[in-house]
Amino acid sequence: MNTGTTAAERAANSRTTAITHIASLVTNDPSLGEGPLGLIQDAAVVFDGDRVAWVGTTSKAPATDSHVDAGGRAALPGFVDSHSHLVFGGDRTAEFNARMSGRAYSAGGIRTTVAATRAATDGELHANVAKYLAEALRQGTTTLETKSGYGLTVEDEARALRIAAAHTDEVTFLGAHIVSPDYADDPAGYVDLVTGPMLDACAPHARWIDVFCEQGAFDGDQARTILTAGKAKGLLPRVHANQLHHGPGVQLAVELDAASADHCTHLDAADIDALANSATVATLLPGAEFSTRAQWPDARPLLDAGATVALSTDCNPGSSFTSSMPFCIALAVRDMKMTPDEAVWSATAGGAAALRRTDIGRLTPGARADLALLDAPSHVHLAYRPGVPLVSQVWHRGVRI
């Protein structure tokens, strides 16, 4: 998420702020507090401009320019949502209604959004992205990745990425979402387009490249070709992997040192072992299973094997139209066998790992000053009180929203 101010401007206006009397603070640094979450009781955090300057107990907090009393509420790092699709036109209410009435979900529904996105104006797409980013920020999300993938022409994909980059630093080229309807009879020709003119036009506007490796989208060989071409252009890979069926996506992600394999719903023992012995994060997207009535991913084998797990919303108009990380935390605890601590870590530090970032997803000295204050005494309430708007205040880059 962009703020519109430069580092020099923020430094010139730097002021220190202390947030004190935090009932329970999640730092995600075990050296600072208790357990993997690094919990500190009756805690304080000091921001200096857009960075965390100090963390500890309230009784030891240093003097600052300003002060906020948390009043015995819990706090945690801003959520890191590492997988979303916000550059789109139209909606798919009718498809969702039909699915809830018994029709199965398939990758082909994306074509509806492609048509609407191509028809939308730049202004409409900018407004849509801004709307959903603001919606996520109100719920505590301070970093959000988003993708192209609903244009599927050179011009429309480049346009989507330019629009996304105006709103967030974490931008992913997903020209390989599905085979464009324009190439329905020539999938090899579309792969050539994605790895040639489309990649040339899109690479300057993105950090990442992604591919939907799935039946009805791209097979393993096609996905490898696309991701390898992206890496040659300086883009870092991530993979939509093993969502609807078991397939080669996870193994391909590990082979290419992708930052994340996303969905991971259908895994075998070899997939779990590969993830556990790699730097590739398993990003789980429970909103998709909720919205498609599909099989839930089982986080337990991944966590027990030592894999790094992230949680994300997969916010998109077709299969997971939610921007709420608290909702996904509650689903992960209820239906994916995660503990509340594991789910909170995965929605913060895990998301940061999926973006290969160390400056977000934690509240430690030097980290970005992103914090969510809950109207509750503990982070456990995010799962304990599902659907309740518990995020009461948000700081993003040291600025109270």
Side-chain angles (χ1 to χ4, degrees), residues 13-185:
N13 296 315
S14 177
R15 286 177 56 83
T16 55
T17 300
I19 306 172
T20 62
H21 298 295
I22 299 168
S24 178
L25 174 69
V26 174
T27 68
N28 284 334
D29 185 343
S31 73
L32 294 177
E34 177 186 354
L37 296 185
L39 290 171
I40 303 174
Q41 309 303 319
D42 191 16
V45 178
V46 173
F47 296 155
D48 186 352
D50 66 351
R51 296 286 148 177
V52 177
W54 182 90
V55 179
T57 59
T58 294
S59 64
K60 297 179 180 178
T64 55
D65 297 321
S66 61
H67 168 254
V68 175
D69 189 333
R73 288 175 285 180
L76 67 161
F79 299 121
V80 180
D81 189 346
S82 61
H83 183 128
S84 78
H85 305 251
L86 299 186
V87 187
F88 67 87
D91 78 9
R92 282 152 67 182
T93 303
E95 177 190 319
F96 176 80
N97 192 34
R99 189 163 62 244
M100 293 301 102
S101 302
R103 194 176 79 193
Y105 173 71
S106 70
I110 292 166
R111 294 180 182 86
T112 303
T113 301
V114 169
T117 303
R118 290 178 178 180
T121 67
D122 285 11
E124 289 168 337
L125 295 178
H126 273 292
N128 229 25
V129 175
K131 172 184 175 180
Y132 295 116
L133 282 172
E135 183 180 276
L137 184 59
R138 290 195 300 271
Q139 299 173 89
T141 297
T142 50
T143 302
L144 195 146
E145 178 270 2
T146 200
K147 310 176 192 296
S148 65
Y150 292 127
L152 308 187
T153 68
V154 172
E155 296 77 13
D156 286 304
E157 285 294 297
R159 176 176 75 138
L161 293 171
R162 286 195 301 271
I163 289 169
H167 298 272
T168 182
D169 298 329
E170 297 293 348
V171 178
T172 301
F173 168 45
L174 182 60
H177 202 178
I178 58 168
V179 173
S180 169
D182 309 319
Y183 284 79
D185 298 324

Side-chain angles (χ1 to χ4, degrees), residues 21 78 113 160 273 308 352 362:
H21 298 295
T113 301
D273 183 67
T308 301
R362 62 200 72 236

Side-chain angles (χ1 to χ4, degrees), residues 64-331:
T64 55
D65 297 321
S66 61
H67 168 254
V68 175
D69 189 333
R73 288 175 285 180
L76 67 161
F79 299 121
V80 180
D81 189 346
S82 61
H83 183 128
S84 78
H85 305 251
L86 299 186
V87 187
F88 67 87
D91 78 9
R92 282 152 67 182
T93 303
E95 177 190 319
F96 176 80
N97 192 34
R99 189 163 62 244
M100 293 301 102
S101 302
R103 194 176 79 193
Y105 173 71
S106 70
I110 292 166
R111 294 180 182 86
T112 303
T113 301
V114 169
T117 303
R118 290 178 178 180
T121 67
D122 285 11
E124 289 168 337
L125 295 178
H126 273 292
N128 229 25
V129 175
K131 172 184 175 180
Y132 295 116
L133 282 172
E135 183 180 276
L137 184 59
R138 290 195 300 271
Q139 299 173 89
T141 297
T142 50
T143 302
L144 195 146
E145 178 270 2
T146 200
K147 310 176 192 296
S148 65
Y150 292 127
L152 308 187
T153 68
V154 172
E155 296 77 13
D156 286 304
E157 285 294 297
R159 176 176 75 138
L161 293 171
R162 286 195 301 271
I163 289 169
H167 298 272
T168 182
D169 298 329
E170 297 293 348
V171 178
T172 301
F173 168 45
L174 182 60
H177 202 178
I178 58 168
V179 173
S180 169
D182 309 319
Y183 284 79
D185 298 324
D186 185 16
Y190 186 65
V191 171
D192 289 342
L193 180 73
V194 169
T195 57
M198 189 182 289
L199 178 59
D200 290 341
C202 291
H205 308 292
R207 181 183 180 206
W208 306 96
I209 185 167
D210 199 345
V211 61
F212 191 9
C213 185
E214 181 60 69
Q215 294 178 29
F218 298 88
D219 65 25
D221 290 339
Q222 292 169 324
R224 180 181 291 102
T225 297
I226 291 162
L227 295 174
T228 301
K231 288 183 73 172
K233 283 285 187 180
L235 301 182
L236 304 174
R238 32 196 346 106
V239 183
H240 281 61
N242 300 51
Q243 178 187 4
L244 305 178
H245 309 87
H246 184 264
V250 164
Q251 295 291 339
L252 179 63
V254 172
E255 172 194 328
L256 297 180
D257 189 31
S260 65
D262 296 24
H263 288 289
C264 294
T265 308
H266 299 275
L267 303 180
D268 63 18
D271 297 326
I272 294 167
D273 183 67
L275 289 164
N277 290 285
S278 74
T280 299
V281 175
T283 300
L284 307 183
L285 309 170
E289 279 69 40
F290 177 87
S291 298
T292 60
R293 288 182 175 159
Q295 172 185 321
W296 295 102
D298 187 349
R300 196 75 261 142
L302 287 163
L303 292 164
D304 290 347
T308 301
V309 173
L311 285 177
S312 185
T313 63
D314 191 20
C315 185
N316 75 84
S319 61
S320 183
F321 206 4
T322 180
S323 59
S324 176
M325 289 291 276
F327 175 64
C328 291
I329 287 170
L331 290 179

